[in-house]
Amino acid sequence: SQQGEEDPQALSIQEGENATMNCSYKTSINNLQWYRQNSGRGLVHLILIRSNEREKHSGRLRVTLDTSKKSSSLLITASRAADTASYFCATDDGNQFYFGTGTSLTVIP
Amino acid sequence: GAGVSQSPSNKVTEKGKDVELRCDPISGHTALYWYRQSLGQGLEFLIYFQGNSAPDKSGLPSDRFSAERTGGSVSTLTIQRTQQEDSAVYLCASSPHAGTQYFGPGTRLLVL
């Protein structure tokens, strides 16, 4: 199975609410990345967090990494309808890349 | 079941040579994507095939890059006259229609 697993598989929230997605992985990593995909488009890189970092911010995005639990979370604050997309985590162990199957986020206006 | 496979897993080439990277998508997946990731960077979209439609080539960085998808299945990414800045991991993904993408393990390309 793929290395990264996102949770939940699907999430539906009202505009303005916060959205939290989680990612778990299995082995040691060099870094972990979050991507979004709008329907029918390629992946867009959102944020990269290195294995020695615990938290990172970018605009309305906040990513945490807990290497002891082999997990990461992506928080989108003050969500907008335009945030509707699938979100993927990806891990890099220095040898291969592993992508999860994604969380489908729907933000209701 | 079988996932997306890519070959070779590693490729070392000399500057100026041409390389071909292969992607075998999951059977039945109509969409196929190529990305690359340079060291320390995020994924960079290269090209997208969907069924029999004309591919979206908007991400190809130069005319040295081209890709084909034969019979709606296997895809080949060709880089002509390779340069050192082409060194990266090249990832292929496939998806049913335009849904969840399933990624291959990537090809690590090193141009000397």
Side-chain angles (χ1 to χ4, degrees):
Chain A
S1 64
Q2 290 177 310
Q3 168 86 319
E5 294 185 1
E6 285 91 346
D7 162 57
Q9 289 187 327
L11 179 61
S12 183
I13 59 174
Q14 295 289 328
E15 197 167 32
E17 293 180 339
N18 297 339
T20 300
M21 288 159 270
N22 302 296
C23 169
S24 60
Y25 58 94
K26 296 179 181 176
T27 62
S28 297
I29 61 171
N30 287 349
N31 61 68
L32 185 145
Q33 303 154 46
W34 283 92
Y35 292 83
R36 67 175 279 165
Q37 182 199 10
N38 291 85
S39 181
R41 308 292 294 274
L43 287 177
V44 173
H45 180 250
L46 294 176
I47 195 165
L48 181 152
I49 185 165
R50 304 192 187 283
S51 60
N52 62 352
E53 297 176 310
R54 292 297 168 259
E55 188 170 313
K56 205 162 183 179
H57 297 253
S58 177
R60 293 184 296 113
L61 305 180
R62 173 178 166 247
V63 169
T64 62
L65 179 64
D66 187 335
T67 53
S68 66
K69 296 181 179 178
K70 292 186 168 58
S71 69
S72 174
S73 68
L74 171 67
L75 169 67
I76 304 174
T77 60
S79 63
R80 305 168 183 168
D83 294 330
T84 295
S86 292
Y87 292 82
F88 296 84
C89 72
T91 55
D92 174 11
D93 66 359
N95 189 43
Q96 269 191 302
F97 291 96
Y98 301 88
F99 283 80
T101 53
T103 292
S104 177
L105 173 66
T106 301
V107 180
I108 303 167
Chain B
V4 177
S5 61
Q6 291 185 244
S7 61
S9 54
N10 291 280
K11 176 72 177 178
V12 180
T13 190
E14 294 179 348
K15 178 181 174 181
K17 295 284 180 68
D18 297 352
V19 294
E20 284 190 352
L21 312 179
R22 178 187 168 105
C23 172
D24 284 85
I26 294 173
S27 178
H29 282 191
T30 58
L32 188 147
Y33 306 78
W34 280 100
Y35 300 87
R36 74 175 176 182
Q37 184 169 19
S38 302
L39 187 64
Q41 305 293 316
L43 278 187
E44 176 187 1
F45 167 74
L46 297 177
I47 189 168
Y48 163 51
F49 296 90
Q50 174 60 278
N52 295 321
S53 303
D56 176 0
K57 303 180 181 181
S58 60
L60 294 178
S62 77
D63 59 9
R64 295 186 296 105
F65 288 73
S66 62
E68 292 184 341
R69 189 178 185 193
T70 54
S73 181
V74 172
S75 178
T76 302
L77 177 69
T78 301
I79 309 173
Q80 296 178 310
R81 304 180 303 281
T82 52
Q83 303 294 314
Q84 289 181 330
E85 60 264 28
D86 299 335
S87 296
V89 177
Y90 289 82
L91 286 156
C92 171
S94 71
S95 73
H97 304 292
T100 300
Q101 294 185 35
Y102 295 81
F103 282 78
T107 293
R108 291 186 182 271
L109 174 66
L110 178 61
V111 182
L112 300 176

